[in-house]
């Protein structure tokens, strides 16, 4: 790999690091919303919890959990190592 492409990879690596940092913050925000929704469901009267409102809260929690899982998967990738290997 030539010097110009290595320099490009260096820039990409920096951008990915910034994106991962942003993803970690987003994940924390989504977790806070999910936790609030879970508290809402947990404190809901049983008559509401087994009805439409409870079902909607459960669906929201499941969707937020999926977003969290997907962000964790993204954050867990070792992009830096792969880019270092490519720059060899």
């Amino acid at each position: 790999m030539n010097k110009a492409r290595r320099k490009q990879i260096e820039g990409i690596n920096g951008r990915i690091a910034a994106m991962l940092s942003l993803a970690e913050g987003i994940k924390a925000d989504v977790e806070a919303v999910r936790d609030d929704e879970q508290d809402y469901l947990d404190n809901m009267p049983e008559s509401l919890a087994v009805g439409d409102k409870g079902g909607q809260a459960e669906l929201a929690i499941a969707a937020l959990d999926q977003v969290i899982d997907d962000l964790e998967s993204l954050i867990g990738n070792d992009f830096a190592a792969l880019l270092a290997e490519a720059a060899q």
Side-chain angles (χ1 to χ4, degrees):
M1 173 154 311
N2 70 20
K3 186 176 180 178
R5 284 191 292 277
R6 279 192 195 97
K7 191 74 170 167
Q8 284 179 309
I9 287 175
E10 197 175 294
I12 291 167
N13 198 25
R15 290 171 41 212
I16 288 174
M19 177 195 64
L20 292 176
S21 178
L22 183 60
E24 288 176 5
I26 292 168
K27 178 181 160 266
D29 291 345
V30 174
E31 287 173 332
V33 172
R34 189 260 334 260
D35 292 347
D36 288 346
E37 189 69 10
Q38 185 66 58
D39 287 343
Y40 168 71
L41 178 61
D42 292 345
N43 293 310
M44 190 181 288
E46 188 174 341
S47 61
L48 293 176
V50 297
D52 288 341
K53 285 190 184 244
Q56 289 172 345
E58 288 174 350
L59 289 173
I61 292 165
L64 293 167
D65 280 338
Q66 183 62 54
V67 171
I68 292 165
D69 289 346
D70 291 347
L71 286 167
E72 285 175 345
S73 178
L74 175 70
I75 293 165
N77 285 313
D78 193 358
F79 294 108
L82 293 169
L83 289 170
E85 184 178 327
Q88 297 286 330

